[in-house]
Amino acid sequence: GVRITVLRGTISSVVARPTVYALSLAVYCTAWTYYGSVGRAAAGGPAFLAIYLGPTLAMALAWLVLRKMVRIAREQRLTSIADFIASRHGHSRALAALVSSVALVGVVPYVALQLKAIAHGVGLLAGVAAGEAVIAAAAAVLLAAFTIAFGTRTLDARERHEGLVAAVAVESVFKLLAFVAVGAFVTWGLFDGPGEIAARVAADAVLAARLLPAAGAGGFDTAGWFALLLLAGLSVLLLPRQFQVAVVENVDERHLKRASWLFPAYLLAINLFVLPIAWGGLLVLGPQADADGFVLALPLQAGQPALALLAYLGGLSAATGMVVVEAIAVGTMVSNDLVLPALLRRGAVADAALAPRLLRVRRVAIVALLALGWLYLQLAGESRSLVSIGLVSFAAVAQFAPALLLGLYWQGGTKAGALAGLAVGAALWAALLLAPALAPAWAGWA
């Protein structure tokens, strides 16, 4: 008892530091950042930066919005983004249930992205292309077990997880160091600095047209850039895992001041070497190579298996941190906003049995989320890039923005309007993004 109390006190004192809080926000940087940004940079040059400029602008310009969200959540003891949105519209249970349902379905592609990155990385390290479905399934089982053991031991009315925040902060530092190590090796080990990489790309007419906007015939995609900027800026507030670490796990609103500059600085640091790795990979491995795998393939190609292993562990860390926090956040919403109201309506559960029942529900929800992620990967993710998979989830949670932001600042909003707006937005997302992603699988069954 004494040892556990001391350990909890130590973890709480660590989490109470603003730097730890700011680093925990870097759970935003998942396998998408680690592998997918390189793949997108190899396909379109600097256009990938919109995914990170969006959150940078959101933290720099809208941290006051986040502070208001933290205050409201603390005052009303809100434990999820579903609770928060419902609280701004009369504590509507129907709205909370709808937000929870959209969140559950919406983050499935993002979970699939992490499983794909883990499995593909193992394939690269092992030098085999087959069996990734089995590896992804094993990863899903292990991640589900780890999340259940780590995040569903007890039921806390505050829904805070100090140990989780500390672990995510450490994970953020590790993945940054691993990615920078690969970037430095590519930039100064395989080439003579970023100047040489840029000069060789500019000298190649095909690569220059593909990677340098000024040299391309199609010009700069302003509309696409703005759309990515907006989606990314909203996602840093609306993804369930981001709401969990930024709002629910916040212990002192003054920590937001440091996060408003340290988190953008982190995003800058982890993206410094994206272009050198992407362009270096195209020069060394060729334009037909799998750009999502350059972070691992370049060290392997250069005979540096230890560096490749370090890079893989960094990517595994990024994927694991995302899945654990996301699964805990979604499991909380499923239990509190979908299952608990039904149990209370039935009145069939005694108070003593309620907590164990909800813990079981959360565990089942975590397993279901990982299983759905694996299924989505098999149906829609095998042939798609990591970025394209992740954008489906970004667009899903963007549907929360009107109900949340208008609920914060507009007194004229109604529960019916929020329900209708979210329902229509979710339906359009499912029809225009989710269904087309699954269409090849449906066509195969037909």
Side-chain angles (χ1 to χ4, degrees):
V2 174
R3 282 175 139 185
I4 293 175
T5 302
V6 171
L7 179 60
R8 285 178 177 171
T10 302
I11 293 175
S12 297
S13 65
V14 170
V15 172
R17 298 176 181 176
T19 299
V20 173
Y21 171 75
L23 288 172
S24 73
L25 298 182
V27 73
Y28 177 84
C29 298
T30 67
W32 177 344
T33 297
Y34 212 85
Y35 302 114
S37 291
V38 173
R40 189 169 184 86
F48 82 95
L49 286 171
I51 301 297
Y52 305 98
L53 288 176
T56 297
L57 293 174
M59 289 303 297
L61 302 178
W63 70 273
L64 292 174
V65 176
L66 186 56
R67 185 177 68 178
K68 185 172 183 178
M69 292 168 61
V70 168
R71 287 179 177 176
I72 293 171
R74 181 180 296 114
E75 291 169 0
Q76 301 188 25
R77 300 174 66 89
L78 306 175
T79 59
S80 70
I81 191 169
D83 289 346
F84 189 92
I85 292 175
S87 76
R88 311 313 296 164
H89 302 279
H91 291 277
S92 168
R93 287 186 176 179
L95 184 56
L98 181 57
V99 172
S100 300
S101 301
V102 173
L104 173 61
V105 178
V107 301
V108 164
Y110 220 140
V111 173
L113 184 160
Q114 313 308 313
L115 297 178
K116 179 175 182 177
I118 292 172
H120 189 53
V122 170
L124 285 173
L125 288 178
V128 296
E132 289 190 7
V134 176
I135 297 172
V141 171
L142 291 174
L143 285 172
F146 180 77
T147 305
I148 289 170
F150 196 76
T152 62
R153 291 192 298 264
T154 59
L155 209 62
D156 185 349
R158 300 172 303 159
E159 298 298 353
R160 284 183 180 161
H161 306 80
E162 286 92 350
L164 178 66
V165 173
V168 170
V170 172
E171 173 265 320
S172 297
V173 173
F174 178 70
K175 68 191 176 191
L176 173 62
L177 294 177
F179 192 84
V180 168
V182 174
F185 169 75
V186 172
T187 304
W188 289 285
L190 299 182
F191 298 92
D192 189 20
E196 183 195 356
I197 298 175
R200 290 181 59 177
V201 166
D204 187 312
V206 176
L207 290 182
R210 173 176 165 182
L211 301 176
L212 303 175
F220 186 72
D221 182 10
T222 304
W225 173 275
F226 180 77
L228 286 178
L229 201 70
L230 180 62
L231 285 176
L234 291 174
S235 69
V236 80
L237 298 176
L238 302 178
L239 281 166
R241 71 175 185 277
Q242 295 302 135
F243 188 91
Q244 179 73 32
V245 295
V247 178
V248 178
E249 304 290 353
N250 181 278
V251 297
D252 189 335
E253 67 179 50
R254 291 174 296 181
H255 293 176
L256 289 167
K257 290 186 177 180
R258 181 166 299 181
S260 68
W261 64 264
L262 184 55
F263 177 52
Y266 183 97
L267 294 179
L268 173 63
I270 204 168
N271 282 284
L272 280 176
F273 290 104
V274 168
L275 283 176
I277 294 173
W279 292 2
L282 291 172
L283 292 169
V284 172
L285 302 174
Q288 303 306 317
D290 174 26
D292 284 341
F294 281 174
V295 174
L296 301 179
L298 284 171
L300 289 173
Q301 174 76 11
Q304 299 289 333
L307 181 59
L309 179 60
L310 175 65
Y312 178 75
L313 292 176
L316 178 63
S317 174
T320 301
M322 175 271 165
V323 171
V324 170
V325 181
E326 199 84 86
I328 289 174
V330 171
T332 299
M333 286 190 282
V334 170
S335 65
N336 290 3
D337 299 308
L338 292 178
V339 176
L340 179 59
L343 292 177
L344 294 177
R345 282 196 301 269
R346 288 169 50 193
V349 180
D351 289 344
L354 189 58
R357 177 75 65 89
L358 289 179
L359 279 177
R360 287 195 294 272
V361 168
R362 292 188 185 185
R363 291 164 184 161
V364 170
I366 289 168
V367 172
L369 179 62
L370 270 297
L372 289 171
W374 181 86
L375 181 61
Y376 184 92
L377 177 59
Q378 307 315 307
L379 297 178
E382 288 293 343
S383 61
R384 305 186 71 193
S385 70
L386 296 179
V387 168
S388 63
I389 298 174
L391 286 176
V392 177
S393 290
F394 271 28
V397 299
Q399 310 310 314
F400 301 153
L404 188 148
L405 296 176
L406 291 177
L408 276 176
Y409 295 104
W410 185 43
Q411 300 299 319
T414 64
K415 176 180 69 174
L419 278 167
L422 181 55
V424 170
L428 289 173
W429 169 79
L432 299 178
L433 291 177
L434 185 62
L438 296 172
W442 293 341
W445 290 341

